Amino acid sequence: DLFGAVMDHEDIPMTPRQEYSGLEQEQFLANWDRFHTRRPTLEVCESSELDLGDRQLRFIHIDGCHMYQCVVKDINLAVAHTAKRGVIAMDDYRGIATPGVGAAIWQAVGNGLLFPFAATHSKLYACASAADQKFWLQRVRDGGDIYPFPDFDLAVMSQRAGR
């Protein structure tokens, strides 16, 4: 994550930039500490600067540059480092101001790189294999409405009470 540096990205339109105010590392960690006893390892940099070596990650969250080319690179990096049963969460997949995000994500789905299993208003959750997609869909199936597609089912999680 870039935290405060995200304000300098040219690809974030002026209107939504206000949404990014206050996203600082200290606030993230304070919120994290509310739910966890062990702090995460944070890499504060552009994803293109990450050297993950042969590390395999269980959870990857993509939310940074909104340009198509950047998102394609982020997806490829995530897929290459997703562990078995790992989840890739992607933000801004359906935003009108972020069409490059949606284009890169759905292209990766069509090319067999990403296997989505759940969606919320702002995030799409996917895996790097069809087997992991089926595993996670079974775990979230009762929490949302199921939308069948030719190659997969997607659980859409609403914000209604009890969900």
Side-chain angles (χ1 to χ4, degrees), residues 23-97:
L23 295 179
E24 299 297 331
Q25 186 171 343
E26 296 79 27
Q27 290 170 304
F28 169 81
L29 289 171
N31 189 49
W32 178 274
D33 290 344
R34 291 176 42 210
F35 303 98
H36 306 281
T37 57
R38 197 173 94 196
R39 286 244 167 128
T41 301
L42 298 179
E43 301 287 346
V44 182
C45 64
E46 297 271 353
S47 57
S48 60
E49 298 171 14
L50 285 173
D51 180 12
L52 297 174
D54 60 355
R55 289 172 53 190
Q56 295 290 292
L57 307 170
R58 293 182 307 155
F59 183 79
I60 298 170
H61 183 250
I62 298 176
D63 180 20
C65 179
H66 295 108
M67 293 187 318
Y68 169 80
Q69 297 87 344
C70 293
V71 181
V72 167
K73 289 178 184 175
D74 287 349
I75 289 170
N76 288 328
L77 179 67
V79 168
H81 293 280
T82 301
K84 182 177 180 182
R85 302 266 163 82
V87 171
I88 303 168
M90 293 159 285
D91 204 36
D92 302 320
Y93 77 103
R94 60 182 218 117
I96 191 72

Side-chain angles (χ1 to χ4, degrees), residues 82-160:
T82 301
K84 182 177 180 182
R85 302 266 163 82
V87 171
I88 303 168
M90 293 159 285
D91 204 36
D92 302 320
Y93 77 103
R94 60 182 218 117
I96 191 72
T98 57
V101 176
I105 289 171
W106 293 114
Q107 180 181 46
V109 171
N111 290 339
L113 292 175
L114 285 178
F115 299 83
F117 64 89
T120 66
H121 176 73
S122 61
K123 295 195 189 304
L124 184 73
Y125 297 88
C127 300
S129 77
D132 290 347
Q133 175 191 48
K134 289 178 182 146
F135 173 86
W136 286 111
L137 180 62
Q138 287 304 109
R139 276 134 189 89
V140 300
R141 181 174 287 284
D142 294 336
D145 298 321
I146 303 299
Y147 290 83
F149 290 89
D151 297 325
F152 62 92
D153 290 346
L154 185 69
V156 177
M157 312 304 200
S158 70
Q159 299 204 356
R160 293 179 287 183

